Amino acid sequence: MFGLSHFKKRMSTSVDEKASVLDAGYVVIDTELTGLDERKDSIVSLGALRMTGGRIELGESFYRLANPETALTSESVVIHGITPSDVVEKPSIDTVLAEFLQFCNDAII
């Protein structure tokens, strides 16, 4: 299994560390997990928005479901509404992370 850090190491970045925060490009992310313990549960969805400074870039969003490595718990299904049948034929998290990092490009995550 590859994590986000694995993919980030493989990508070059051209973030201008001297640029103003108001001009910087950001990607803010949200994930849903198979359970309520982030140490042992798997990502089941990954969503993100692209921002410049404090402004959301409308139309620049990312959302993918992933076939998780661990089973969904009933507690998590109640929270996010993602069921096992929703993700059974979705790609692995490795595939989703690769797509996500392409979406991020050189933005700060």
Side-chain angles (χ1 to χ4, degrees):
M1 177 181 99
F2 297 114
L4 186 59
S5 61
H6 169 79
F7 289 104
K8 282 299 284 181
K9 287 177 188 174
R10 293 178 45 194
M11 294 183 65
S12 62
T13 183
S14 62
V15 173
D16 181 359
E17 295 178 9
K18 295 180 182 180
S20 165
V21 171
L22 298 175
D23 298 325
Y26 296 90
V27 172
V28 292
I29 65 173
D30 180 44
T31 61
E32 299 297 344
L33 302 176
T34 55
L36 303 177
D37 185 345
E38 73 278 358
R39 292 176 304 233
K40 70 174 187 163
D41 291 312
S42 302
I43 296 173
V44 71
S45 76
L46 177 61
L49 292 172
R50 185 177 291 284
M51 298 182 66
T52 302
R55 187 181 72 245
I56 296 172
E57 300 293 338
L58 298 176
E60 294 288 326
S61 63
F62 178 93
Y63 180 76
R64 300 285 187 284
L65 292 173
N67 191 337
E69 297 173 350
T70 58
L72 285 152
T73 64
S74 58
E75 294 89 359
S76 70
V77 171
V78 169
I79 292 169
H80 53 58
I82 301 168
T83 65
S85 63
D86 293 331
V87 296
V88 69
E89 294 189 25
K90 297 301 179 187
S92 72
I93 190 60
D94 291 341
T95 300
V96 171
L97 284 173
E99 293 173 7
F100 169 67
L101 290 173
Q102 285 180 339
F103 168 80
C104 292
N105 195 10
D106 285 334
I108 299 165
I109 298 176

